[in-house]
Each structure stands twice: as structure tokens, then as C-alpha cells.
Amino acid sequence: MERHEHYIDGEWVAGSGDDDFESRNPANGEVLGTFPRGTEADVEDAVAAARDAAEEWRALSYPDRAEYLWDVYQQLRERTDELGELVTRECGKEISEGRADVVEAYHMVEWAAGNGRHPHGDVVPSEIAAKDAYMRRKPRGVVGCITPWNFPVAIPFWHMAVALVEGNTVVWKPAEQTPKCGHAVAELLVESGIPDGVFNMVQGFGDAGAAVVDSDVETVLFTGSAEVGQGIAESIGGTPGKLAACEMGGKNAVLITDEADLDLAVPAAVLSSFKTTGQRCVSSERLIVHTDVYDEFKERFVAAAEKVSVGDPLDEDTFMGPLVEPRHREKVLEYNDLAREEGVNVLVDRADLDDEEIPDGHRDGHWIGPFVYETEYDPELRCIHEEVFGPHVALIEYEGGIERGVELQNATEYGLAGSIVSEDYRQINYYRDHAELGLAYGNLPCIGAEVQLPFGGVKKSGNGYPSARAVIEAVTERTAWTLNNSSDIEMAQGLSAEVTVEDD
Ligand code: UN1
């Protein structure tokens, strides 16, 4: 079995640790590779290399830095099918999702590299005609990137593509569940010929991630769970000059009003809830449905949940692959049990698949099917407030106007993604203005964001940075630069520019 390595200072290295870990295919338990478990010392080496490379890298022009990313873009396009299959084999997403992960990656790289030729600041008017004022940007320095397993190729590029083009050097810790995708991403950057030390990757677990956070990087970009993200935000909070941009999960909802077209609402809800087996931070675990359409929606949604195909993710006909790892399956099952204990009415429980549903040779997969229940809204219920990250969905019936629907949409500590299904533009506009969300959709699923939009949440879901233009804020510093073109000093705000002296 191939033993992989870290990539530090332009070299593949074994690292200082003694422990290895394996990556396994969640659909059948096949071992995909062995990886070194990174240590604090490995992270220190990577940060030191990134620090040494920073000066030369920032001295290049934007288009010159972007050239390396264009190379990565070409490779991602040429190898989409192969890398898509790797994504599917390592994280269990069905194959169209595996490929879409790679497509999303090259869209992000395209955006970042193309942006290398776009304006990067503002010319700002001054009160004083002889003054030129500008807002300019500078790279912050070394950026630490910590990325999740559910988009193992796309999300690393949300972080790294922009950070690199903006002139930062990078230390990246991929998710421990998807180190082989991490290795493949690193190979793309190595293949591009990017200078030594500009890009570094340390494989490993949370302790390696924590070492990145505690190191002297200027920015930490994190996408992952709320618990870890909050810990990072707190630990960095008070450190002068250090910034954490954290993107966490949600308890996302699709709001289906009395004016909804159910032919659209049902597929929107199914896609939002069950794609990626519910393992997107934008997946929906709440369906808030108006009483006038409740019975019909429930019947149709339940029928769909009974039927969605769960199976081999490499098969083009599969809708839901397995969950990523046994530990995660345990967690989802615990939440299903919790919902039952909290007294909900279970409508669909396919958590334990029938034997014939499990594809041949896939007994060791982490299989699960949809779990759907109905309940009245109750602020005390944990199952409708805590993120499960699986195909665990609550139907919540409401009465009254759009205000009540939106009140329930907002009845969570999170604020990442959501969607309204309605044919009434007044309801849609009310939702647009009052739903507490970073990503909001009308008559669509609440998944499937495009990379050129800002991606991020409000409330407990994060601080809204890690994609496209928004991430530039986290990896650059602004300078307000003002130049006087006159040989006299003239001050703004009517300030006197006279230097008065004491009489002799
Ligand atoms: C995530 O949910 O973890 O919106 C990222 C989407 C993707 C990104 C999702 N483009 O579905």
C-alpha cells in the first residue's frame, strides 16, 4: 500500500511523527492509502518554509502569481473524471457529486486567477484637489487553511486559490477523512511549478489543525464544524494581527408556503435534504410547511423519501451514497433515536437498509437511508435545533402568514442557507428581507451555490468569508494611501497646515 507524505518547502517529506493513518472507501472499506500523521514540529517546519518564501512570492505581479493557478485550472479540467472518481471513492458522494466537486474547484481557480487581472482597490476622491487617495491591498503573509472532507477538492481551492493569487503563502491541513484527495490537490500545485515554500501541506488530525491555528500564521481560514470553528475563533480572538475566518454549519430550512407550487417544492426539498446524504453544511434538516399544503406535501415528500436510491456511489443511478465514516453514522443514528425520545412522529425510517438494498461487495459501507419525522415547533426540541449532518429531516407545520414562517426559519442559532418556495412575490420579498441567512434562495433547493457568490453564514454559522471576493478581505490588508502632488501641504477638514513658532 502506497505510503504518502507531507509536502513542505518544495519537497515530499515523511515528517517527524511515528504514526500513520489509513484512508478507507466509505462504501466498501477498501484501503486507499497510508498517510503520515502530522505533528506540531511538521506544522512548524511548514510555517517556517511559508514564511521564508513570502517575500519573493509577494514581489511577483498578480498575473504572474495567477499563472501557476491557470496551470492548476488546466489540470483540473483535463482530469475531472479521474479526480471526480477519487472524490467519490474517498468521501462516498455519488459520482455526479464527485465530479461536481472538481468542477467547483476549477471554477474557483478560474475566478481567482482571472481576478489577478482585475482592479484591486479603489481610487477615492479627496477634499484636497492636489491629493490622490487610494485604497490598496497587501497580502497578510502566511495563511493557514483547514478544510473539511465533504468537498475535499473544491473547498481547499476556495481557501488557497485566492490566498495565493493575493500574494500569501499557504500551510494547508486537509481533512483526515480525505487525505488522498488532499494528496492529489497537492500534486496539482506541485505540478504547476509553484516556487518552493509557497504552498505546503501537512496531513493529519485535529492536533495538526490546532498547531496551524496556534502557529504564527496571519490568517486562519477554516471550514468545518461549529464546535471546532468556535474554538478557533475564540483562541485567535484576542491575538493582535491574527484573523480567523470560519465557515461552519447550519440547521437549514426550506420554507414551503400556502402559495407554493408543490411540483417544485417536493424536488427542492428532496435535493436540499438528501443530496450528499445530507452531509453538506447547506443541507436542509427542516421543512417548514404551511398548513394549507401540509398534507399533500407530506404525502409526496414521504413517498419520495421512501424511494430515493441509496447505493454504490460509483453507479450513475445512485442518489445517496454512504456516510463518510462509522463514527459519523453513529452520530446520525443517535440523533434519530433522540428525535424518537423527544416524541416526534416518525414518517420514514430507512436508517438500517434492508440487506438487498446494500450493493454486492459493499457490506462494510456506512449505509444509511432517509429518516423523516413530523413535529410541532417546540423551542425545547434538540432534534430540530442541532445540526445532524445526515439525512435526518423534520417536517414542521405552521399556520398564519409569511411572518410566522420566517419566524420559524429564524428559530435557530444558525444562519447559513435557506430557501422559500412560493408563487407570491410579496412572500418571497418578505423572506428575502427577514430571513437571517448568508445564502438565501427562492424556488430552488438551498444547496448548489456558485463560486462567484460570497459563501458564508450569519449567527453561529460563521463570519461569511471563505469564498471568492469575500475571502480577499480575510487574506489581505487594506492601506489607505494618500499622495500630495503639490509642494504645499493642505489639510482636509479645514485643519490648519500652518506651523506657528514662538516669538523670539
Ligand atoms: C458545503 O455545504 O459544505 O452550495 C459546501 C453548495 C456547494 C458548496 C457546499 N457549492 O452546494
Side-chain angles (χ1 to χ4, degrees):
M1 181 52 55
E2 195 184 349
R3 184 183 185 277
H4 298 77
E5 295 183 303
H6 308 296
Y7 186 75
I8 300 175
D9 204 10
E11 296 200 44
W12 293 102
V13 294
S16 64
D18 298 325
D19 296 338
D20 283 351
F21 66 103
E22 282 176 345
S23 168
R24 284 176 184 267
N25 183 332
N28 58 13
E30 157 203 22
V31 177
L32 300 172
T34 306
F35 299 83
R37 184 171 172 152
T39 63
E40 206 178 311
D42 299 328
V43 170
E44 270 171 28
D45 288 349
V47 173
R51 180 76 57 213
D52 285 350
E55 201 175 311
E56 270 184 51
W57 181 244
R58 75 193 290 161
L60 294 180
S61 70
Y62 274 83
D64 281 350
R65 289 194 294 259
E67 278 305 317
Y68 297 97
L69 276 300
W70 283 124
D71 190 282
V72 170
Y73 170 81
Q74 292 300 348
Q75 297 182 64
L76 284 166
R77 288 206 71 137
E78 279 158 23
R79 297 178 53 197
T80 305
D81 288 348
E82 171 211 335
L83 292 169
E85 191 177 315
L86 171 61
V87 169
T88 289
R89 280 160 50 112
E90 195 171 41
C91 88
K93 299 201 279 195
E94 55 85 13
I95 187 66
S96 82
E97 294 255 11
R99 278 195 297 265
D101 201 312
V102 183
V103 172
E104 185 170 330
Y106 70 65
H107 286 169
M108 193 66 239
V109 173
E110 177 187 44
W111 189 91
N115 196 47
R117 287 188 185 268
H118 282 195
H120 266 73
D122 298 308
V123 179
V124 184
S126 166
E127 290 168 38
I128 312 297
K131 273 190 191 171
D132 285 328
Y134 308 91
M135 190 278 278
R136 303 183 82 253
R137 288 191 184 275
K138 288 182 191 152
R140 283 178 56 80
V142 181
V143 174
C145 302
I146 302 172
T147 57
W149 48 265
N150 66 337
F151 282 80
V153 179
I155 293 182
F157 284 112
W158 293 6
H159 291 192
M160 297 195 294
V162 173
L164 289 168
V165 173
E166 291 298 321
N168 301 277
T169 56
V170 160
V171 174
W172 173 41
K173 208 288 282 173
E176 64 269 24
Q177 294 85 350
T178 50
K180 192 151 175 137
C181 290
H183 186 86
V185 166
E187 278 180 337
L188 299 172
L189 282 152
V190 173
E191 184 66 24
S192 77
I194 202 159
D196 295 353
V198 170
F199 159 78
N200 305 273
M201 177 199 60
V202 178
Q203 297 278 12
F205 286 67
D207 51 339
V212 173
V213 173
D214 294 341
S215 72
D216 70 342
V217 297
E218 274 74 21
T219 293
V220 175
L221 300 177
F222 168 82
T223 304
S225 74
E227 293 65 42
V228 177
Q230 262 161 1
I232 293 176
E234 273 159 32
S235 90
I236 287 191
T239 317
K242 213 164 162 179
L243 189 128
C246 298
E247 203 46 57
M248 283 89 85
K251 188 72 178 178
N252 309 301
V254 179
L255 173 59
I256 295 149
T257 77
D258 47 332
E259 299 292 339
D261 171 357
L262 295 191
D263 288 343
L264 194 149
V266 173
V270 170
L271 293 168
S272 302
S273 301
F274 300 134
K275 254 192 165 313
T276 9
T277 319
Q279 299 168 108
R280 267 173 153 92
C281 46
V282 290
S283 293
S284 166
E285 295 179 3
R286 297 181 302 148
L287 304 174
I288 300 167
V289 188
H290 194 272
T291 189
D292 287 0
V293 293
Y294 186 81
D295 289 343
E296 188 186 344
F297 176 82
K298 173 170 126 182
E299 191 185 318
R300 292 170 66 175
F301 183 77
V302 163
E306 294 282 10
K307 281 203 307 260
V308 290
S309 56
V310 184
D312 180 357
L314 287 171
D315 181 341
E316 299 276 351
D317 291 332
T318 294
F319 189 75
M320 279 173 52
L323 292 173
V324 69
E325 56 183 349
R327 199 162 53 119
H328 188 49
R329 184 164 184 277
E330 285 309 309
K331 176 185 162 186
V332 176
L333 292 178
E334 278 167 24
Y335 269 102
N336 293 355
D337 289 344
L338 172 74
R340 266 203 188 85
E341 282 158 27
E342 290 187 310
V344 305
N345 181 30
V346 177
L347 302 169
V348 179
D349 184 355
R350 294 174 62 196
D352 281 316
L353 293 190
D354 295 336
D355 273 0
E356 64 275 16
E357 285 184 283
I358 297 174
D360 280 349
H362 289 71
R363 288 271 133 225
D364 292 338
H366 317 309
W367 302 107
I368 203 160
F371 182 81
V372 181
Y373 56 96
E374 62 184 349
T375 175
E376 278 181 19
Y377 177 71
D378 175 348
E380 300 300 322
L381 287 185
R382 286 178 52 204
C383 61
I384 59 167
H385 289 92
E386 296 178 17
E387 184 185 35
V388 178
F389 221 62
H392 167 111
V393 187
L395 265 62
I396 303 168
E397 184 174 350
Y398 78 98
E399 289 175 16
I402 184 66
E403 296 79 6
R404 177 62 182 155
V406 172
E407 193 182 338
L408 291 176
Q409 137 60 42
N410 290 342
T412 155
E413 289 178 286
Y414 290 100
L416 185 57
S419 154
I420 180 171
V421 184
S422 170
E423 296 293 297
D424 177 344
Y425 76 90
R426 289 185 186 83
Q427 292 185 339
I428 292 183
N429 286 353
Y430 183 87
Y431 176 91
R432 182 197 63 195
D433 293 346
H434 295 90
E436 295 163 355
L437 295 168
L439 298 140
Y441 297 88
N443 292 325
L444 281 168
C446 61
I447 63 162
E450 297 180 46
V451 300
Q452 63 278 16
L453 285 160
F455 186 99
V458 297
K459 295 157 80 180
K460 196 175 155 185
S461 294
N463 48 16
Y465 286 116
S467 171
R469 189 167 305 145
V471 88
I472 295 178
E473 290 297 334
V475 297
T476 61
E477 267 155 13
R478 286 181 299 244
T479 310
W481 163 240
T482 309
L483 175 70
N484 177 20
N485 297 306
S486 154
S487 42
D488 293 324
I489 295 176
E490 194 182 344
M491 303 296 284
Q493 294 125 14
L495 269 185
S496 159
E498 212 144 300
V499 181
T500 50
V501 294
E502 289 185 11
D503 291 340
D504 286 337

